[in-house]
Amino acid sequence: MNEAPPKPLKAPDIDRVIRYHIQTKHHFNRYARSLGYLDWSSQPDPFRRFEGAPLIALPLLAPDESPRSPVYDALFRYGSVDSQPVSIRSLSRFLELSLALSAWKKSGASEWALRSNPSSGNLHPTEGYLVLPQSEGLDLQSGLYHYAPKEHGLEWRAAIPDEELARLMSPFPSGAFLFGLSSIHWREAWKYGERAFRYCNHDVGHALGAARVAAATLGWKMALLEGMEQRTVARLLGVDRSSDFVSAEQEHPDCLAVIWPDDASHDAGADVNPQEIPLLLDTSIVDALAAMTWQGKANRLSSEHGVHWQAIDEVATASRKQQADKRILPLTVRFDRDAATGDRYAPSSSASSAAQIIRQRRSAVSFDGQTSVTAATFFRILRRTVPGVEYKQAARPVPWDVWPYDPALHLMIFVHRVEGLVPGLYLLVRDPAKLPFIQESLSQELIWKRPLICPEDLLFYQLWEGDVRYVAAQVSCRQSIAADSAFSLGMLAEFDSRLQAEGAWFYPRLFWEAGLLGQILYLEAEAAGVRGTGIGCFFDDAVHALVGIEGITFQSLYHFTIGGAVEDRRLLTLPAYFHLNRQ
Ligand SMILES: Cc1cc2nc3c(=O)[nH]c(=O)nc-3n(C[C@H](O)[C@H](O)[C@H](O)COP(=O)(O)O)c2cc1C
């Protein structure tokens, strides 16, 4: 489909993203550049709206209304969730469990909304879009919609002629629709300055993970359309339409995915096995769509902007995926039921529904410094972070079936309170092929001891023994959440080698993988009766020094902590959509 011959990788762009990465490290004596204080006069509105675009309210469904959620564990057993038809109700559920508000918090006169997807600083730079073709049972005009989380509604941005959309979607299974994400960098930059591009991409990964899991609750499959260049994503989502963003903050096109009901799970006779899913759209059709009638103008989020962080624009440009960058990917993914792995994983002890786990997910703001987890719980959580590279992509467990790349991130774990494991620093290697490379790259003084209680299928090693609470908190910008938990971790990415091999466009993807990891860790923590928190603030090179990383062979991109949470009882919690009744 409109493929151009590959061009050589652009080394200056790789240099640019590496420079950005180095420049945005936090150090013990110096944080990455930011304003250094919060300028409340320019605080961005957390809700993008397209003024003038018709808003279609989605039904607010009670938890026990149809479509009802399967138990959490069922998400990880291939084909065990009955597939729901795509309807306004199932779409409402999908969005509720991925990008919607999950609660309001109130303290004195301030009120702020939380969402199903977490976000650094609760700033929520990620915007969601749907491209919905006409389909039976879906009483909506076909076209492009922007999701408005505060209203739980769809803003109809563009009508797409039925025939055109049918042509665009013809390579996909029936019932398929598109899901897109974009980022408003300004929302994060307002608080975090130059480092914000990293956080925006963590959030993309979290949103992707949230969407993959939400789709799985409905028995839907999902594939990331990574064969496409970013220009096409921008065009389809309309975020390149400068006339609709005149005085409004730009949206950066991130990714597109296709989602479809997995009829194979209950219709054995259907001729849909295997499903060969293309990982790109026909660009000529997308280009033609730009001429359609658009509705609405993006709202301005901050009346004034203060400092503009040029480094973010530069890294965003350097890491844009272009035509030439498609070459390393397979351009289709084969969903073959016969290759399914079934449930390779020991079930968790939670009998909760998946929706319940998603709705109750919160970040712990502090931990009790006491709660431990059993070794069984600990290893079960770790297993869910491992894609199982021996399986074909589509047969990997949720959410890894959406991720078309081999794992690039490995977990450096600070064990504080795991029954049966001595405290210390450990490493989980997520791709066995990388073990020699990792061992060569880290300090030769590490002990690489496999604990006796470690399940055979996990490449889990003790690197050094000792109380690592102080050091974990110190390197996490001195945040005690990294020490008072049962364990915390840093995600070590194969950095230079992957960028050199794949190109600058892979830089955001390293953070997406980190966000996917974070999302599954959040949910697993809830399922285990404990709680997690993402940690974006850490002193980069101080982390690296712990395992002797010099240079940029490996870089820690995101941290996480899991343990017994202490609730902040001063905060009042209100239901997600109580405000709609109040108005
Ligand atoms: C990428 C990312 C980085 C984060 N970094 C930190 C952090 O360094 N310290 C912290 O206390 N919370 C951190 N958080 C948690 C957020 O503050 C939290 O997700 C947000 O306030 C929304 O709350 P919720 O997760 O309960 O919905 C981070 C979350 C994400 C997604």
Side-chain angles (χ1 to χ4, degrees):
M1 273 181 219
N2 312 316
E3 286 306 295
K7 283 190 244 149
L9 294 174
K10 294 177 281 67
D13 285 342
I14 300 176
D15 289 349
R16 180 61 251 174
V17 300
I18 292 174
R19 267 208 317 280
Y20 169 81
H21 189 75
I22 293 172
Q23 182 179 325
T24 55
K25 287 182 176 183
H26 287 327
H27 300 273
F28 276 129
N29 58 349
R30 169 171 55 87
Y31 283 86
R33 264 195 294 255
S34 73
L35 212 51
Y37 63 94
L38 291 176
D39 174 12
W40 295 110
S41 67
S42 63
Q43 185 186 18
D45 183 338
F47 301 110
R48 162 120 302 159
R49 290 296 310 273
F50 286 90
E51 286 146 12
L55 177 76
I56 294 102
L58 292 166
L60 288 168
L61 302 172
D64 55 355
E65 274 187 89
S66 166
R68 293 187 57 175
S69 171
V71 292
Y72 176 70
D73 272 340
L75 304 186
F76 306 95
R77 279 194 301 273
Y78 192 94
S80 65
V81 180
D82 275 350
S83 181
Q84 301 292 326
V86 176
S87 67
I88 199 90
R89 293 176 73 87
S90 56
L91 281 177
S92 171
R93 194 64 101 196
F94 166 67
L95 289 163
E96 177 208 335
L97 300 179
S98 52
L99 301 180
L101 305 194
S102 57
W104 285 86
K105 293 280 174 184
K106 198 169 160 46
S107 170
S110 344
E111 249 175 31
W112 62 98
L114 299 178
R115 305 198 197 181
S116 296
N117 56 319
S119 169
S120 189
N122 200 31
L123 295 163
H124 289 285
T126 319
E127 295 293 320
Y129 289 87
L130 298 180
V131 175
L132 298 172
Q134 273 296 320
S135 88
E136 220 181 279
L138 182 61
D139 193 14
L140 273 181
Q141 305 282 346
S142 51
L144 169 74
Y145 291 86
H146 167 251
Y147 178 57
K150 189 173 176 195
E151 292 74 18
H152 192 50
L154 289 173
E155 289 181 302
W156 192 23
R157 279 283 284 137
I160 306 180
D162 288 344
E163 322 74 66
E164 291 299 298
L165 200 42
R167 230 158 41 86
L168 186 72
M169 300 302 288
S170 63
F172 303 113
S174 69
F177 64 92
L178 302 176
F179 172 74
L181 294 174
S182 70
S183 299
I184 305 175
H185 295 150
W186 163 246
R187 280 222 185 97
E188 286 282 328
W190 168 72
K191 180 168 180 189
Y192 294 116
E194 272 184 8
R195 198 168 158 105
F197 185 72
R198 298 180 179 208
Y199 297 144
C200 288
N201 284 294
H202 288 125
D203 281 10
V204 171
H206 275 289
L208 270 178
R212 177 62 196 109
V213 171
T217 68
L218 296 154
W220 294 351
K221 294 249 169 251
M222 177 166 166
L224 201 53
L225 299 179
E226 277 288 90
M228 280 179 359
E229 54 181 334
Q230 225 150 344
R231 190 190 68 89
T232 315
V233 179
R235 180 144 285 199
L236 188 63
L237 302 183
V239 298
D240 62 347
R241 295 180 52 76
S242 45
S243 55
D244 293 349
F245 288 82
V246 176
S247 61
E249 296 76 3
Q250 292 291 308
E251 289 180 30
H252 177 78
D254 292 309
C255 57
L256 268 181
V258 60
I259 298 178
W260 68 99
D262 179 22
D263 291 329
S265 66
H266 56 77
D267 186 0
D271 185 20
V272 286
N273 183 32
Q275 294 170 321
E276 196 82 31
I277 306 294
L279 295 183
L280 73 174
L281 298 172
D282 186 325
T283 322
S284 66
I285 306 180
V286 176
D287 283 346
L289 295 181
M292 61 204 171
T293 314
W294 291 80
Q295 315 181 77
K297 302 280 176 221
N299 62 339
R300 191 178 163 102
L301 305 176
S302 298
S303 50
E304 35 186 298
H305 274 229
V307 182
H308 180 79
W309 302 100
Q310 187 66 23
I312 293 184
D313 297 348
E314 285 170 16
V315 68
T317 304
S319 61
R320 268 176 96 96
K321 190 143 177 280
Q322 316 218 0
Q323 187 79 8
D325 297 322
K326 290 187 208 167
R327 63 192 178 151
I328 63 130
L329 275 170
L331 292 179
T332 60
V333 58
R334 193 178 157 96
F335 280 78
D336 184 347
R337 275 191 86 202
D338 303 332
T341 52
D343 184 14
R344 296 188 293 127
Y345 301 130
S348 69
S349 50
S350 169
S352 299
S353 75
Q356 172 56 33
I357 297 287
I358 295 168
R359 287 190 196 105
Q360 75 180 49
R361 184 211 62 76
R362 295 281 182 281
S363 294
V365 286
S366 67
F367 290 95
D368 59 15
Q370 287 174 3
T371 302
S372 57
V373 294
T374 63
T377 298
F378 176 72
F379 288 121
R380 192 166 48 232
I381 294 174
L382 294 194
R383 271 217 183 88
R384 291 246 159 98
T385 70
V386 179
V389 285
E390 65 277 31
Y391 300 99
K392 286 191 280 184
Q393 182 200 329
R396 293 177 186 174
V398 165
W400 304 110
D401 56 350
V402 86
W403 192 240
Y405 309 104
D406 284 343
L409 273 62
H410 309 277
L411 308 183
M412 185 175 99
I413 308 173
F414 301 86
V415 168
H416 310 310
R417 296 171 192 86
V418 178
E419 291 164 21
L421 277 183
V422 288
L425 190 68
Y426 292 77
L427 191 80
L428 177 75
V429 176
R430 293 176 62 246
D431 179 352
K434 309 293 171 43
L435 181 60
F437 173 49
I438 297 172
Q439 287 185 316
E440 271 163 37
S441 308
L442 306 191
S443 159
Q444 295 310 302
E445 280 162 29
L446 304 172
I447 57 179
W448 293 100
K449 190 164 114 192
R450 264 176 80 81
L452 286 176
I453 56 165
C454 169
E456 258 180 38
D457 59 321
L458 288 181
L459 289 180
F460 179 75
Y461 300 89
Q462 188 180 29
L463 300 182
W464 35 275
E465 191 180 321
D467 183 342
V468 284
R469 287 176 296 178
Y470 179 76
V471 79
Q474 282 298 304
V475 298
S476 303
C477 295
R478 306 185 181 97
Q479 299 183 85
S480 56
I481 52 173
D484 296 341
S485 57
F487 64 98
S488 59
L489 57 91
M491 303 180 191
L492 289 184
E494 299 158 26
F495 193 74
D496 197 32
S497 56
R498 293 299 279 260
L499 291 179
Q500 300 298 343
E502 287 158 16
W505 62 276
F506 209 70
Y507 182 64
R509 273 128 191 110
L510 292 172
F511 288 93
W512 299 359
E513 186 180 335
L516 277 165
L517 274 166
Q519 191 63 19
I520 201 69
L521 288 169
Y522 264 120
L523 298 178
E524 283 296 307
E526 297 290 340
V530 281
R531 183 145 280 178
T533 305
I535 303 183
C537 189
F538 52 89
F539 299 120
D540 302 62
D541 288 339
V543 175
H544 303 146
L546 295 176
V547 285
I549 295 168
E550 285 165 10
I552 54 167
T553 335
F554 283 87
Q555 293 285 282
S556 192
L557 298 189
Y558 188 24
H559 285 223
F560 207 88
T561 182
I562 290 181
V566 181
E567 287 281 320
D568 186 345
R569 303 214 174 271
R570 292 165 304 177
L571 300 184
L572 189 66
T573 305
L574 298 162
Y577 286 96
F578 86 99
H579 59 289
L580 294 185
N581 300 329
R582 183 168 65 173
Q583 282 160 4

